[in-house]
Amino acid sequence: VMVLGEIGVGKSSVINLIVGGNVAKVSSNAEVCTRRTTKYEATVESMKVHIWEVSGFNQPKNDSRKDAADFEQKLGPMLEAKASVDVILFCMRGKKLTAVTKRIFELADGIFRGRIPIVLVINHLEREGEMEDWWRRNRGKLGTSMSETRHVCVTGL
C-alpha cells in the first residue's frame, strides 16, 4: 500500500487506523512528522501488509520535469526495496482542494493510472453530519480524474 498526499493531510493517521495502533508519528502542530518515505508492516485480516508512507509534498514547481523528479526522489526508498504496490491511498483535506493536491494527484495518476488503483481518502470531515454528503457536494469540483476515482471519507473522531 502506498499512502501519499500533501504535507499535513493525515497520512500517518490513516496508517495508524489501518494498522490499529500508533506506529506512525502524528502531530497536530505545524511540524512535519514524516521527513522521508517510511515503510510500516501490519497484519490485516491475517494478511501481512507493507504500507509505504511517502513523505508529504509541498508547493509544486509547476515544471513537470522538476515535479516528476521530486516525486521520484520521494519514491526512492520504495524503488530501492523493489517494492510492489497494489493500491494507492491518496490523502487530501476535505476543507479545501489546493493546487498542490491537484498537482500531486495528476503526477500519481499520470504515472500509475490503469496499473495501480488510486483511492481518495478525504480527511478532516469532523464537522460533516453525513460524510458522504461532502463527496456529493464536491465531486464535480475535483477535476475529471479525481472525481472518477474511488473514495472514502474519514474523520478522526
Side-chain angles (χ1 to χ4, degrees):
V1 177
M2 180 192 309
V3 182
L4 55 92
E6 196 174 343
I7 290 172
V9 295
K11 297 179 298 295
S12 297
S13 295
V14 168
I15 290 168
N16 289 339
L17 180 66
I18 293 168
V19 171
N22 293 322
V23 296
K25 183 181 175 190
V26 297
S27 172
S28 59
N29 297 323
E31 69 186 57
V32 175
C33 291
T34 307
R35 297 192 182 282
R36 65 182 307 260
T37 298
T38 305
K39 176 182 164 185
Y40 301 96
E41 293 186 6
T43 302
V44 179
E45 295 185 13
S46 73
M47 180 174 52
K48 187 174 181 179
V49 178
H50 295 183
I51 304 169
W52 291 88
E53 180 178 10
V54 177
S55 58
F57 290 85
N58 205 346
Q59 293 297 320
K61 292 154 184 65
N62 292 325
D63 176 328
S64 53
R65 286 185 305 184
K66 287 182 181 176
D67 286 340
D70 184 38
F71 194 84
E72 189 173 317
Q73 179 186 11
K74 289 180 182 293
L75 297 182
M78 293 179 65
L79 298 173
E80 290 170 18
K82 295 184 169 80
S84 63
V85 177
D86 295 313
V87 66
I88 297 169
L89 302 181
F90 186 89
C91 298
M92 62 177 279
R93 281 183 200 93
K95 295 176 185 174
K96 66 177 183 173
L97 180 64
T98 67
V100 177
T101 298
K102 280 186 175 182
R103 183 68 185 129
I104 299 163
F105 184 87
E106 289 168 2
L107 280 168
D109 189 47
I111 294 169
F112 301 113
R113 187 60 142 181
R115 291 179 290 138
I116 302 172
I118 300 173
V119 177
L120 289 178
V121 179
I122 301 111
N123 283 322
H124 303 275
L125 297 176
E126 287 79 10
R127 296 180 191 243
E128 286 290 325
E130 178 64 40
M131 287 188 285
E132 269 311 299
D133 288 343
W134 183 94
W135 181 255
R136 286 187 276 281
R137 285 193 320 272
N138 292 287
R139 180 179 185 172
K141 301 171 190 169
L142 298 177
T144 307
S145 293
M146 290 180 90
S147 66
E148 293 175 359
T149 303
R150 293 182 181 171
H151 72 283
V152 61
C153 297
V154 179
T155 181
L157 296 178

